[in-house]
Amino acid sequence: MRRVSALALLVLFLSACSMPETRIYSLYTPVGREASNNKAKVSVAIILEAPRYLAQPYIAHRSSPYQLVISKYSKWDSAPNEIMKGALRDYLYATGLFKEIRTSGFLPVDFYALKIKLKKFEMYDTAEGSFGELAFDAELISPGGMEQYRGTVYKKVKLGDKTFLGLAKGLSSALSEGIEEVKDNIVKILTASKL
């Protein structure tokens, strides 16, 4: 009986040692210098909606339109929906147009609402190679409930290799470009209305 227990412990120990290590990846989205504007009157709340798998930090990998695999041992430093909110906040704050930017999902009175529907934030393998895909809808609503802007961003970046490090680099550039696009449209709209 003792031998069986010792053997079971040895097998358990060896299997624990052979488990793969967890790897954590982060995105790098450089933001220009923050503009300070003491006269800013506009406040915005970022309200983000995402599928459940994008509210978890695990990396999503798609090999067909019908199958999505969630990695057990490789993950983002934060869930994709949180990465998106943080990057949006940083880019919008750097414009100097906003007095306050909230990411809590609660819409206070007299705030603009920036509604984001995150659709894709994943690796996709095709016969042509591996790609990082980012897709989201953006909508800016005035405090009075009027739609000011609506747009869709879709970025597909060819990855240099099939690694998650390559995915992090590809999605970093896709996220920067996509948010820059939305930010530029919002700035254009708000400055045209002379806020």
Side-chain angles (χ1 to χ4, degrees):
M1 186 68 167
R2 267 185 150 164
R3 288 177 112 188
V4 173
S5 297
L7 186 59
L9 282 173
L10 180 62
V11 169
L12 183 63
F13 176 74
L14 290 175
S15 66
C17 292
S18 66
M19 290 181 69
E21 63 185 359
T22 300
R23 294 179 188 252
I24 297 175
Y25 298 90
S26 42
L27 268 58
Y28 174 65
T29 51
V31 179
R33 235 181 84 220
E34 291 183 357
S36 61
N37 184 352
N38 296 335
K39 297 177 183 176
K41 300 176 197 167
V42 180
S43 295
V44 66
I46 299 169
I47 300 166
L48 200 136
E49 178 188 327
R52 184 176 296 196
Y53 79 95
L54 294 177
Q56 301 175 23
Y58 298 100
I59 295 177
H61 179 222
R62 191 178 293 277
S63 55
S64 82
Y66 312 105
Q67 183 180 17
L68 183 71
V69 177
I70 305 295
S71 174
K72 288 182 183 176
Y73 300 108
S74 297
K75 53 189 191 175
W76 300 114
D77 61 353
S78 185
N81 64 341
E82 295 299 323
I83 292 170
M84 184 86 182
K85 279 195 268 188
L88 276 164
R89 181 193 60 233
D90 295 345
Y91 272 75
L92 291 175
Y93 187 74
T95 64
L97 287 176
F98 296 94
K99 176 172 61 172
E100 188 176 353
I101 300 172
R102 293 200 181 168
T103 60
S104 65
F106 171 70
L107 182 60
V109 177
D110 295 332
F111 270 61
Y112 278 80
L114 178 56
K115 295 182 177 183
I116 302 293
K117 184 174 183 180
L118 184 57
K119 296 177 174 180
K120 288 188 176 194
F121 194 99
E122 60 199 36
M123 179 186 277
Y124 188 41
D125 288 332
T126 68
E128 293 86 42
S130 294
F131 296 87
E133 281 191 311
L134 171 72
F136 64 93
D137 295 330
E139 183 180 13
L140 183 68
I141 309 288
S142 74
M146 300 292 291
E147 182 181 293
Q148 303 289 301
Y149 163 75
R150 179 186 294 264
T152 296
V153 172
Y154 175 74
K155 301 290 177 187
K156 185 174 180 180
V157 180
K158 184 150 174 74
L159 306 180
D161 54 43
K162 285 180 89 166
T163 65
F164 289 144
L165 179 59
L167 176 64
K169 290 175 183 175
L171 283 179
S172 291
S173 67
L175 187 60
S176 294
E177 289 173 21
I179 290 179
E180 190 75 39
E181 218 174 275
V182 170
K183 180 203 74 165
D184 289 347
N185 284 313
I186 289 172
V187 167
K188 201 180 301 179
I189 288 160
L190 293 180
T191 52
S193 62
K194 297 181 179 20
L195 293 174

